[in-house]
Amino acid sequence: MDELELLKKDWKKQDADYPKLTYQEIYKLIHKKSSSVVKWIFIICIAEFLFWGFINLLIPESYFEIYEKFHLKTLLNTSYILHYAVSIGFIYLFYKNYNAICVIDSTSLLMKKIIKTRKTVNYYVYYNIILSVILSFVVNFVMFSDANLLVEVFNPDNKPIDVDTFFNILLIAQIIGLLVMVGLLWLYYRIVYGILLKKLTKNYKELETLE
Amino acid sequence: MTKDLEHKFISEFQENQNIIHKVCRIYTNNQEAHNDLFQEITIQLWKAYPKFRGDSKLSTWMYRIGLNTAITLYRKSKRSIITQDFDSVLHRIQSTDYDNTEEEQLKVMYKAIHQLSDIDKALIFLYLEDKNYKEISETIGISEVNARVKMNRIKTRLRTILNP
């Protein structure tokens, strides 16, 4: 007999062997918590929205005084308003995509929808990174173009300092800060994708190569 | 209302629970993983049940959610095992008596199936469940032609494993 026929025969035979769960056992099962990828993506995405939403609030008040001296406050306030409008847009898109995830869809459509939801939030994070980089460039440009004021602001007691060294330290500190931020983000995404979406992306790619 | 729905779901699930066991059999190779996946599929079925309209057969609907959960949604967790009885019965299955050569052959087949990719497992599962190519292509979301091509490859692969 053909091996596959043998397998099929055996497959049909196994029906009687499985345990029948009782009503109570099923009842208990359906009240347990799911640990699905979609649930985790939802939690992580919400955490990302909260993180990027609140990170602005962490800037100490004294910084705003500095910005005011450089006449940057209007620029920054406008960018905040725009930023929150864009964020709301992203949250809406995320919600829409998340709601569209439907476990009854075909496997490939389901994967597509999950990836789309996740991508919305990825774009949101990219947007935040790009915005921070652009803003910090603008702010730095304005601040460094008024060297006297910069020294005055960071050295209010007028201690004798070497202006060149001071500028270099300031610049290097900012570059290191930026690198650390990017590094942490990279690590974070490696972990999130590594743990959560590796299987899904692999399977999705396999389906894609089929079509 | 929820109670009624719950009651209806549990009764219907009880009738068809073998489908889920079979999905777990294809996708897992130990007791704990089997139970864990079984639990996750059951939860997903229950979550989706309010939207089940009855325009497709309940079993078809269960195949879809079962496979989708195994391929896409499921993540291994370290949850406690459902019940003791459940365990011991499943344990018995693994030692059912076959005649020797057949048993050996089947062992090798199941081992080979466990080495297939998640997508290939879905195809072979639906083949074993006697689903036609139309249903297979709709469940997985690939064209019928591609489903055929892919299935033939898997069959050839399984045959050559046994007859190298």
Side-chain angles (χ1 to χ4, degrees):
Chain A
M1 183 166 59
D2 181 62
E3 295 84 0
L4 283 168
E5 289 305 314
L6 177 70
L7 184 69
K8 220 169 185 175
K9 211 181 98 199
D10 181 66
W11 186 256
K12 298 235 162 77
K13 231 171 41 186
Q14 64 178 327
D15 260 18
D17 297 333
Y18 286 121
K20 287 259 180 273
L21 260 69
T22 63
Y23 190 95
Q24 272 311 311
E25 281 170 323
I26 300 168
Y27 180 86
K28 264 192 246 158
L29 266 190
I30 63 176
H31 286 90
K32 290 204 173 170
K33 282 209 165 64
S34 151
S35 73
S36 83
V37 172
V38 173
K39 188 182 137 192
W40 281 105
I41 286 179
F42 182 78
I43 293 171
I44 286 168
C45 290
I46 296 296
E48 281 170 22
F49 278 121
L50 290 176
F51 173 78
W52 290 101
F54 284 119
I55 201 164
N56 290 325
L57 303 177
L58 295 176
I59 300 170
E61 213 33 49
S62 58
Y63 271 65
F64 287 102
E65 285 166 27
I66 297 172
Y67 293 145
E68 204 157 9
K69 283 190 182 144
F70 286 96
H71 310 289
L72 280 165
K73 234 186 156 176
T74 332
L75 173 83
L76 289 173
N77 279 339
T78 324
S79 76
Y80 281 159
I81 292 167
L82 274 174
H83 171 66
Y84 280 110
V86 173
S87 296
I88 288 168
F90 269 112
I91 291 171
Y92 167 75
L93 278 179
F94 165 73
Y95 181 74
K96 210 180 107 201
N97 291 336
Y98 178 78
N99 253 358
I101 295 176
C102 176
V103 73
I104 312 164
D105 283 331
S106 71
T107 306
S108 80
L109 189 63
L110 173 69
M111 288 182 183
K112 224 176 258 174
K113 284 178 176 174
I114 294 175
I115 290 170
K116 198 174 162 197
T117 305
R118 183 56 226 173
K119 268 191 182 155
T120 319
V121 184
N122 267 4
Y123 292 141
Y124 178 68
V125 173
Y126 297 150
Y127 155 79
N128 270 289
I129 295 171
I130 292 167
L131 186 74
S132 337
V133 171
I134 292 175
L135 272 183
S136 76
F137 267 115
V138 172
V139 168
N140 274 303
F141 182 77
V142 173
M143 281 165 74
F144 276 91
S145 57
D146 196 344
N148 289 335
L149 187 58
L150 188 66
V151 175
E152 192 193 306
V153 166
F154 281 98
N155 188 16
D157 304 332
N158 226 349
K159 285 178 190 145
I161 50 159
D162 178 18
V163 176
D164 280 345
T165 323
F166 167 71
F167 278 169
N168 283 338
I169 291 172
L170 205 59
L171 207 64
I172 291 169
Q174 296 218 43
I175 292 170
I176 291 175
L178 197 72
L179 286 178
V180 168
M181 190 180 93
V182 172
L184 283 176
L185 276 170
W186 180 80
L187 194 72
Y188 170 75
Y189 274 93
R190 283 300 293 248
I191 293 169
V192 167
Y193 276 106
I195 294 173
L196 266 186
L197 291 176
K198 200 172 151 202
K199 186 173 107 170
L200 196 151
T201 341
K202 193 185 123 223
N203 287 336
Y204 185 69
K205 275 189 187 139
E206 190 182 334
L207 277 182
E208 262 194 333
T209 51
L210 263 182
E211 289 297 277
Chain B
M1 193 58 209
T2 324
K3 282 278 154 214
D4 285 352
L5 199 68
E6 209 171 75
H7 179 73
K8 197 164 165 249
F9 173 77
I10 295 175
S11 317
E12 290 190 319
F13 180 84
Q14 249 183 320
E15 296 281 302
N16 293 284
Q17 51 182 303
N18 273 347
I19 295 176
I20 308 307
H21 278 303
K22 287 193 232 167
V23 174
C24 297
R25 171 136 198 221
I26 288 277
Y27 280 93
T28 63
N29 47 15
N30 69 62
Q31 210 62 62
E32 212 173 323
H34 182 114
N35 294 350
D36 198 41
L37 180 58
F38 188 95
Q39 178 169 329
E40 186 62 46
I41 295 174
T42 312
I43 295 169
Q44 293 298 334
L45 285 168
W46 167 234
K47 272 181 22 186
Y49 192 64
K51 281 190 196 152
F52 176 63
R53 299 258 173 269
D55 39 7
S56 61
K57 263 170 50 191
L58 184 83
S59 59
T60 313
W61 180 79
M62 284 175 82
Y63 281 117
R64 278 211 174 186
I65 296 182
L67 287 177
N68 274 341
T69 307
I71 299 172
T72 312
L73 306 178
Y74 174 63
R75 290 187 59 241
K76 277 190 196 88
S77 73
K78 290 197 172 98
R79 281 184 294 218
S80 56
I81 298 151
I82 307 166
T83 60
Q84 274 300 306
D85 298 343
F86 188 76
D87 267 9
S88 54
V89 187
L90 266 183
H91 192 74
R92 283 207 308 273
I93 298 171
Q94 283 163 358
S95 53
T96 30
D97 40 329
Y98 302 109
D99 86 62
N100 264 339
T101 45
E102 278 196 1
E103 186 186 7
E104 271 312 305
Q105 276 188 318
L106 283 166
K107 256 191 191 162
V108 176
M109 290 283 253
Y110 281 117
K111 213 177 150 195
I113 289 173
H114 278 138
Q115 284 163 358
L116 295 172
S117 73
D118 286 347
I119 307 291
D120 290 355
K121 279 179 189 159
L123 280 146
I124 203 78
F125 170 77
L126 292 167
Y127 162 79
L128 291 173
E129 289 291 306
D130 269 334
K131 300 291 163 198
N132 60 34
Y133 281 107
K134 187 168 175 284
E135 226 173 304
I136 293 176
S137 83
E138 279 169 1
T139 306
I140 299 178
I142 54 176
S143 73
E144 239 178 283
V145 178
N146 285 331
R148 256 174 224 279
V149 173
K150 187 93 174 143
M151 185 74 85
N152 283 333
R153 266 188 228 146
I154 303 168
K155 283 185 191 166
T156 317
R157 194 174 152 196
L158 285 177
R159 284 200 181 96
T160 46
I161 286 170
L162 284 174
N163 308 303

